[in-house]
Coordinates of all heavy atoms in Angstrom, one line a residue:
Chain H
A478 N 109.6 92.6 90.4 CA 110.8 91.9 90.9 C 112.1 92.8 90.6 O 112.9 92.9 91.4 CB 111.0 90.5 90.2
I479 N 112.0 93.4 89.4 CA 113.2 94.3 89.1 C 113.2 95.5 90.0 O 114.2 95.9 90.5 CB 113.1 94.7 87.6 CG1 113.3 93.5 86.7 CG2 114.1 95.8 87.3 CD1 113.1 93.7 85.2
Y480 N 112.0 96.1 90.2 CA 111.9 97.3 91.1 C 112.3 97.0 92.4 O 113.0 97.8 93.1 CB 110.5 97.8 91.0 CG 110.3 99.0 91.9 CD1 110.8 100.2 91.6 CD2 109.6 98.8 93.2 CE1 110.5 101.3 92.4 CE2 109.4 99.9 93.9 CZ 109.8 101.2 93.6 OH 109.7 102.2 94.5
E481 N 112.0 95.9 93.0 CA 112.4 95.4 94.3 C 113.9 95.5 94.5 O 114.4 95.8 95.6 CB 111.8 94.1 94.6 CG 111.9 93.6 96.1 CD 111.7 92.1 96.1 OE1 110.9 91.6 95.4 OE2 112.4 91.5 97.0
R482 N 114.6 95.1 93.4 CA 116.0 95.1 93.5 C 116.7 96.4 93.2 O 117.6 96.8 93.8 CB 116.5 93.9 92.6 CG 116.2 92.5 93.1 CD 116.3 91.5 92.0 NE 116.2 90.1 92.6 CZ 115.0 89.7 92.8 NH1 113.9 90.3 92.5 NH2 114.9 88.4 93.3
T483 N 116.3 97.0 92.1 CA 116.9 98.2 91.6 C 116.4 99.5 92.3 O 117.0 100.6 92.2 CB 116.8 98.3 90.1 OG1 115.4 98.4 89.9 CG2 117.4 97.2 89.4
K484 N 115.1 99.4 92.8 CA 114.5 100.5 93.4 C 114.2 101.6 92.4 O 113.9 102.7 92.7 CB 115.3 101.2 94.6 CG 115.6 100.3 95.7 CD 114.4 99.9 96.5 CE 114.6 98.8 97.5 NZ 113.7 97.7 97.3
T485 N 114.2 101.2 91.1 CA 113.7 102.1 90.1 C 112.9 101.5 89.1 O 113.2 100.3 88.8 CB 114.9 103.0 89.6 OG1 114.4 103.8 88.5 CG2 115.8 102.0 88.8
R486 N 112.0 102.2 88.4 CA 111.3 101.6 87.3 C 111.5 102.4 86.1 O 111.0 102.2 85.1 CB 109.8 101.5 87.6 CG 109.4 100.6 88.7 CD 107.9 100.5 88.7 NE 107.3 101.7 88.8 CZ 106.5 102.0 89.8 NH1 106.4 101.2 90.8 NH2 105.9 103.3 89.9
T487 N 112.3 103.5 86.2 CA 112.7 104.4 85.1 C 113.5 103.7 84.1 O 114.6 103.1 84.4 CB 113.4 105.7 85.5 OG1 112.6 106.2 86.7 CG2 113.5 106.7 84.5
I488 N 113.0 103.6 82.9 CA 113.7 102.7 81.8 C 115.2 103.2 81.6 O 116.1 102.4 81.6 CB 112.9 102.7 80.6 CG1 111.6 102.1 80.8 CG2 113.7 102.0 79.4 CD1 110.7 102.2 79.6
S489 N 115.3 104.5 81.6 CA 116.7 105.1 81.3 C 117.7 104.8 82.4 O 118.9 104.7 82.1 CB 116.6 106.6 81.0 OG 116.1 107.2 82.2
E490 N 117.2 104.5 83.6 CA 118.2 104.2 84.7 C 118.5 102.7 84.6 O 119.4 102.3 85.4 CB 117.6 104.6 86.1 CG 117.6 106.1 86.2 CD 116.9 106.5 87.5 OE1 116.8 105.6 88.4 OE2 116.5 107.7 87.6
L491 N 117.8 101.9 84.0 CA 118.1 100.5 84.0 C 119.0 100.2 82.8 O 119.3 101.0 82.0 CB 116.8 99.6 83.9 CG 115.8 99.8 85.1 CD1 114.4 99.4 84.7 CD2 116.3 99.1 86.2
G492 N 119.4 98.9 82.7 CA 120.2 98.6 81.5 C 121.2 97.4 81.8 O 121.6 97.3 83.0
G493 N 121.3 96.5 81.0 CA 122.3 95.5 81.1 C 121.9 94.5 82.2 O 122.7 93.8 82.8
L494 N 120.6 94.4 82.6 CA 120.2 93.5 83.6 C 120.5 92.1 83.3 O 120.6 91.2 84.2 CB 118.7 93.6 84.0 CG 118.3 95.1 84.6 CD1 116.9 95.2 84.7 CD2 119.1 95.3 85.9
S495 N 120.6 91.7 82.1 CA 120.9 90.3 81.7 C 122.2 89.9 82.2 O 122.5 88.7 82.4 CB 120.8 90.1 80.2 OG 121.8 91.0 79.6
K496 N 123.1 90.8 82.6 CA 124.4 90.5 83.1 C 124.3 90.2 84.6 O 125.0 89.2 85.1 CB 125.4 91.6 82.8 CG 125.7 91.7 81.3 CD 126.8 92.8 81.1 CE 126.9 93.1 79.6 NZ 126.3 94.5 79.3
S497 N 123.6 91.0 85.3 CA 123.6 90.8 86.7 C 122.5 89.9 87.2 O 122.6 89.0 88.1 CB 123.4 92.2 87.4 OG 122.2 92.8 87.0
V498 N 121.3 89.9 86.6 CA 120.2 89.0 87.0 C 119.6 88.3 85.7 O 118.6 88.6 85.2 CB 119.0 89.8 87.7 CG1 119.4 90.2 89.1 CG2 118.7 91.1 86.9
P499 N 120.5 87.3 85.2 CA 120.2 86.8 84.0 C 118.7 86.0 84.0 O 118.0 86.1 83.0 CB 121.3 85.6 83.7 CG 121.9 85.6 85.1 CD 121.7 86.9 85.8
V500 N 118.4 85.4 85.1 CA 117.2 84.7 85.1 C 116.0 85.7 85.0 O 115.1 85.5 84.2 CB 117.0 83.9 86.4 CG1 115.7 83.2 86.4 CG2 118.2 82.8 86.5
L501 N 116.0 86.7 85.8 CA 114.9 87.7 85.8 C 114.8 88.4 84.5 O 113.8 88.5 83.8 CB 115.2 88.8 86.8 CG 114.9 88.4 88.3 CD1 115.2 89.6 89.2 CD2 113.5 87.9 88.5
A502 N 116.0 88.7 83.9 CA 116.0 89.3 82.6 C 115.4 88.4 81.5 O 114.7 88.8 80.6 CB 117.5 89.7 82.2
G503 N 115.8 87.2 81.7 CA 115.3 86.1 80.7 C 113.8 86.0 80.7 O 113.1 86.1 79.7
F504 N 113.2 85.9 81.9 CA 111.9 85.8 82.0 C 111.2 87.1 81.5 O 110.1 87.0 80.9 CB 111.4 85.4 83.4 CG 111.4 84.0 83.7 CD1 112.4 83.3 84.3 CD2 110.3 83.2 83.3 CE1 112.5 82.0 84.6 CE2 110.3 81.8 83.5 CZ 111.4 81.2 84.2
T505 N 111.7 88.2 81.9 CA 111.2 89.4 81.3 C 111.1 89.5 79.9 O 110.0 89.8 79.2 CB 112.0 90.7 81.9 OG1 112.3 90.5 83.3 CG2 111.3 92.0 81.6
L506 N 112.2 89.1 79.2 CA 112.2 89.0 77.8 C 111.2 88.0 77.2 O 110.5 88.4 76.3 CB 113.6 88.6 77.3 CG 114.0 88.8 75.9 CD1 113.9 90.3 75.5 CD2 115.3 88.3 75.6
A507 N 111.1 86.9 77.9 CA 110.0 86.0 77.5 C 108.7 86.5 77.5 O 107.9 86.3 76.6 CB 110.2 84.6 78.3
A508 N 108.4 87.2 78.7 CA 107.1 87.8 78.8 C 106.8 88.8 77.7 O 105.8 88.9 77.1 CB 107.0 88.5 80.2
A509 N 107.8 89.6 77.5 CA 107.7 90.6 76.4 C 107.5 90.0 75.1 O 106.6 90.4 74.3 CB 108.9 91.5 76.4
M510 N 108.1 88.9 74.8 CA 107.9 88.2 73.5 C 106.5 87.7 73.4 O 105.8 87.7 72.4 CB 108.9 87.0 73.4 CG 110.3 87.5 73.1 SD 110.4 88.4 71.6 CE 111.3 89.8 72.2
A511 N 106.0 87.1 74.5 CA 104.7 86.6 74.6 C 103.7 87.7 74.3 O 102.7 87.5 73.6 CB 104.4 86.0 75.9
S512 N 104.0 89.0 74.9 CA 103.1 90.0 74.7 C 103.1 90.5 73.2 O 102.1 91.0 72.7 CB 103.5 91.2 75.6 OG 102.6 92.1 75.7
V513 N 104.3 90.5 72.6 CA 104.4 90.9 71.2 C 103.6 90.0 70.3 O 103.1 90.4 69.3 CB 105.9 91.0 70.8 CG1 106.0 91.1 69.3 CG2 106.6 92.1 71.5
G514 N 103.5 88.7 70.8 CA 102.8 87.8 70.0 C 103.7 86.8 69.1 O 103.5 86.5 67.9
L515 N 104.8 86.4 69.8 CA 105.7 85.5 69.2 C 105.1 84.1 69.0 O 104.4 83.6 69.9 CB 106.9 85.4 70.1 CG 108.2 84.7 69.4 CD1 108.8 85.7 68.4 CD2 109.2 84.3 70.5
P516 N 105.1 83.5 67.8 CA 104.5 82.2 67.7 C 105.0 81.2 68.7 O 106.1 81.3 69.1 CB 104.9 81.8 66.2 CG 105.3 83.1 65.6 CD 105.7 84.1 66.6
G517 N 104.2 80.4 69.1 CA 104.5 79.4 70.1 C 104.1 79.9 71.5 O 104.1 79.1 72.5
L518 N 103.7 81.1 71.6 CA 103.2 81.6 72.9 C 101.7 82.1 72.7 O 101.3 82.3 71.6 CB 104.0 82.8 73.3 CG 105.5 82.4 73.7 CD1 106.5 83.6 73.6 CD2 105.6 81.8 75.0
S519 N 101.0 82.2 73.8 CA 99.6 82.3 73.6 C 99.1 83.6 73.0 O 98.1 83.7 72.3 CB 99.0 82.3 75.1 OG 99.5 83.3 75.9
G520 N 100.0 84.8 73.1 CA 99.6 85.9 72.5 C 99.4 85.8 70.9 O 98.6 86.4 70.4
F521 N 100.3 85.0 70.3 CA 100.2 84.8 68.9 C 98.8 84.2 68.5 O 98.2 84.7 67.6 CB 101.3 83.9 68.5 CG 101.3 83.4 67.1 CD1 101.6 84.4 66.1 CD2 100.9 82.2 66.7 CE1 101.5 84.0 64.7 CE2 100.8 81.8 65.3 CZ 101.1 82.7 64.4
V522 N 98.5 83.2 69.3 CA 97.2 82.4 68.9 C 96.1 83.4 69.0 O 95.2 83.5 68.0 CB 96.9 81.3 69.9 CG1 95.7 80.5 69.5 CG2 98.1 80.4 70.0
S523 N 95.9 84.1 70.1 CA 94.8 85.1 70.2 C 94.8 86.1 69.1 O 93.7 86.4 68.5 CB 94.7 85.6 71.6 OG 95.9 86.1 72.0
E524 N 95.9 86.7 68.8 CA 95.9 87.7 67.8 C 95.6 87.2 66.4 O 94.9 87.8 65.7 CB 97.3 88.5 67.8 CG 97.4 89.4 69.0 CD 98.8 90.1 69.1 OE1 99.6 90.0 68.1 OE2 99.1 90.6 70.2
L525 N 96.2 86.0 66.2 CA 96.0 85.4 64.9 C 94.5 85.2 64.7 O 93.8 85.5 63.7 CB 96.7 84.1 64.8 CG 96.6 83.4 63.4 CD1 97.3 84.1 62.3 CD2 97.2 81.9 63.6
L526 N 93.8 84.6 65.7 CA 92.4 84.3 65.6 C 91.6 85.5 65.4 O 90.6 85.6 64.6 CB 91.9 83.5 66.9 CG 92.2 82.1 67.0 CD1 92.0 81.6 68.4 CD2 91.5 81.3 66.0
A527 N 91.9 86.6 66.2 CA 91.2 87.8 66.1 C 91.3 88.4 64.7 O 90.3 88.9 64.1 CB 91.7 88.8 67.1
F528 N 92.6 88.3 64.1 CA 92.6 88.9 62.8 C 92.1 88.1 61.7 O 91.6 88.6 60.8 CB 94.2 89.2 62.5 CG 94.7 90.4 63.1 CD1 95.3 90.5 64.3 CD2 94.5 91.6 62.4 CE1 95.7 91.7 64.9 CE2 94.9 92.8 62.9 CZ 95.5 92.9 64.1
I529 N 92.1 86.8 61.9 CA 91.4 86.0 60.9 C 89.9 86.3 61.0 O 89.2 86.5 59.9 CB 91.5 84.4 61.3 CG1 93.0 83.9 61.1 CG2 90.6 83.6 60.5 CD1 93.2 82.5 61.5
G530 N 89.4 86.5 62.2 CA 88.0 86.9 62.4 C 87.8 88.2 61.6 O 86.8 88.3 60.9
I531 N 88.5 89.2 61.9 CA 88.3 90.6 61.3 C 88.3 90.6 59.8 O 87.6 91.2 59.1 CB 89.2 91.6 61.9 CG1 88.6 93.0 61.9 CG2 90.5 91.7 61.3 CD1 87.5 93.3 62.9
F532 N 89.4 89.8 59.3 CA 89.5 89.8 57.8 C 88.3 88.9 57.2 O 88.0 89.0 56.0 CB 90.8 89.3 57.3 CG 91.8 90.4 57.4 CD1 92.8 90.3 58.5 CD2 91.8 91.5 56.7 CE1 93.7 91.3 58.7 CE2 92.7 92.5 56.8 CZ 93.7 92.4 57.8
G533 N 87.7 88.0 58.0 CA 86.6 87.3 57.4 C 85.3 87.7 57.8 O 84.2 87.0 57.6
A534 N 85.2 88.9 58.3 CA 83.9 89.5 58.8 C 82.9 89.7 57.7 O 83.3 90.1 56.6 CB 84.2 90.8 59.6
D535 N 81.7 89.5 58.1 CA 80.6 89.7 57.1 C 80.4 91.2 56.9 O 80.2 92.0 57.8 CB 79.3 89.1 57.8 CG 78.2 89.1 56.8 OD1 78.2 89.9 55.8 OD2 77.2 88.4 57.0
A536 N 80.5 91.7 55.6 CA 80.5 93.1 55.3 C 79.2 93.7 55.7 O 79.1 94.9 56.0 CB 80.8 93.3 53.9
S537 N 78.0 92.8 55.8 CA 76.8 93.5 56.3 C 76.8 93.9 57.7 O 76.1 94.6 58.2 CB 75.7 92.6 55.8 OG 75.7 91.4 56.6
I538 N 77.6 93.1 58.5 CA 77.7 93.5 59.9 C 78.8 94.5 60.2 O 78.5 95.5 60.9 CB 77.9 92.2 60.7 CG1 76.8 91.2 60.6 CG2 78.3 92.5 62.1 CD1 76.9 89.9 61.4
L539 N 80.0 94.2 59.7 CA 81.0 95.1 59.9 C 81.6 95.6 58.5 O 82.5 95.0 57.9 CB 82.2 94.4 60.6 CG 83.4 95.2 61.0 CD1 82.9 96.3 62.0 CD2 84.3 94.3 61.8
P540 N 81.2 96.8 58.1 CA 81.7 97.3 56.9 C 83.2 97.8 57.1 O 83.6 98.0 58.3 CB 80.9 98.5 56.6 CG 80.2 98.8 57.8 CD 80.2 97.6 58.7
A541 N 84.0 97.8 56.1 CA 85.4 98.3 56.1 C 86.2 97.4 57.1 O 87.1 98.0 57.7 CB 85.4 99.8 56.5
A542 N 85.8 96.1 57.2 CA 86.5 95.3 58.1 C 88.0 95.2 57.8 O 88.9 95.3 58.6 CB 85.9 94.0 58.2
K543 N 88.3 95.1 56.5 CA 89.7 94.9 56.1 C 90.5 96.1 56.4 O 91.7 96.0 56.9 CB 89.7 94.5 54.6 CG 89.0 93.1 54.4 CD 89.5 92.6 53.0 CE 88.8 91.1 52.9 NZ 87.4 91.1 53.1
T544 N 90.0 97.3 56.1 CA 90.7 98.5 56.4 C 91.1 98.6 57.9 O 92.2 98.9 58.3 CB 89.8 99.8 56.1 OG1 89.2 99.4 54.8 CG2 90.7 101.0 55.9
L545 N 90.1 98.3 58.7 CA 90.3 98.3 60.1 C 91.3 97.3 60.5 O 92.2 97.6 61.3 CB 89.0 98.1 60.8 CG 88.0 99.2 60.9 CD1 86.6 98.7 61.4 CD2 88.4 100.3 61.7
G546 N 91.2 96.1 59.9 CA 92.3 95.1 60.2 C 93.6 95.6 59.8 O 94.6 95.3 60.7
V547 N 93.8 96.3 58.7 CA 95.1 96.7 58.4 C 95.7 97.7 59.3 O 96.8 97.6 59.9 CB 95.1 97.3 56.9 CG1 96.5 97.9 56.6 CG2 94.9 96.2 55.9
I548 N 94.8 98.6 59.7 CA 95.3 99.7 60.6 C 95.6 99.1 62.0 O 96.6 99.4 62.6 CB 94.1 100.7 60.9 CG1 93.7 101.4 59.6 CG2 94.6 101.8 61.9 CD1 92.5 102.3 59.7
A549 N 94.8 98.0 62.4 CA 95.1 97.4 63.7 C 96.4 96.6 63.6 O 97.2 96.6 64.6 CB 94.0 96.3 64.1
G550 N 96.7 96.1 62.4 CA 97.9 95.5 62.2 C 99.1 96.4 62.4 O 100.2 95.9 63.1
I551 N 99.0 97.6 62.1 CA 100.1 98.6 62.4 C 100.3 98.7 63.8 O 101.5 98.8 64.3 CB 99.7 100.0 61.8 CG1 99.6 99.9 60.3 CG2 100.7 101.0 62.2 CD1 99.0 101.1 59.6
G552 N 99.2 98.6 64.6 CA 99.3 98.7 66.1 C 100.1 97.5 66.6 O 100.9 97.7 67.5
I553 N 100.0 96.4 65.9 CA 100.8 95.2 66.4 C 102.2 95.5 66.1 O 103.1 95.1 67.0 CB 100.3 93.9 65.6 CG1 98.8 93.8 65.8 CG2 101.0 92.7 66.1 CD1 98.4 93.6 67.3
I554 N 102.5 96.2 65.0 CA 104.0 96.4 64.8 C 104.5 97.4 65.9 O 105.5 97.2 66.4 CB 104.1 97.1 63.4 CG1 103.7 96.1 62.3 CG2 105.6 97.5 63.2 CD1 103.6 96.6 61.0
L555 N 103.6 98.5 66.3 CA 104.0 99.3 67.3 C 104.3 98.5 68.6 O 105.2 98.9 69.4 CB 102.9 100.3 67.5 CG 102.7 101.5 66.5 CD1 101.5 102.2 66.8 CD2 104.0 102.3 66.4
T556 N 103.4 97.5 68.9 CA 103.6 96.8 70.1 C 105.1 96.1 70.1 O 105.8 96.2 71.1 CB 102.6 95.6 70.1 OG1 101.3 96.2 70.0 CG2 102.7 94.8 71.5
A557 N 105.5 95.6 68.9 CA 106.8 95.0 68.8 C 107.8 96.1 69.1 O 108.8 95.9 69.9 CB 107.0 94.4 67.5
A558 N 107.5 97.3 68.5 CA 108.4 98.4 68.7 C 108.6 98.8 70.1 O 109.8 98.7 70.7 CB 108.0 99.6 67.9
Y559 N 107.6 99.1 70.9 CA 107.8 99.6 72.2 C 108.3 98.6 73.1 O 109.2 98.8 74.0 CB 106.5 100.3 72.8 CG 105.3 99.4 73.1 CD1 105.2 98.7 74.2 CD2 104.2 99.5 72.3 CE1 104.1 97.9 74.5 CE2 103.1 98.9 72.6 CZ 103.0 98.0 73.7 OH 101.9 97.3 73.9
L560 N 107.9 97.3 72.9 CA 108.3 96.2 73.9 C 109.8 95.9 73.6 O 110.7 95.8 74.6 CB 107.4 95.0 73.8 CG 106.2 95.0 74.6 CD1 105.3 93.9 74.3 CD2 106.5 95.0 76.1

Side-chain angles (χ1 to χ4, degrees):
Chain H
I479 292 172
Y480 176 72
E481 191 197 323
R482 290 167 174 79
T483 61
K484 301 290 171 235
T485 179
R486 293 191 306 245
T487 310
I488 296 174
S489 57
E490 290 177 16
L491 296 163
L494 291 177
S495 59
K496 294 183 189 109
S497 57
V498 282
V500 176
L501 287 181
F504 273 99
T505 312
L506 193 60
M510 288 303 132
S512 190
V513 169
L515 194 72
L518 294 160
S519 61
F521 174 74
V522 183
S523 47
E524 284 175 15
L525 184 69
L526 282 169
F528 276 97
I529 291 177
I531 203 79
F532 283 107
D535 187 342
S537 64
I538 291 177
L539 183 61
K543 295 197 173 57
T544 322
L545 288 168
V547 170
I548 302 173
I551 297 170
I553 304 301
I554 300 171
L555 286 175
T556 308
Y559 68 74
L560 277 168

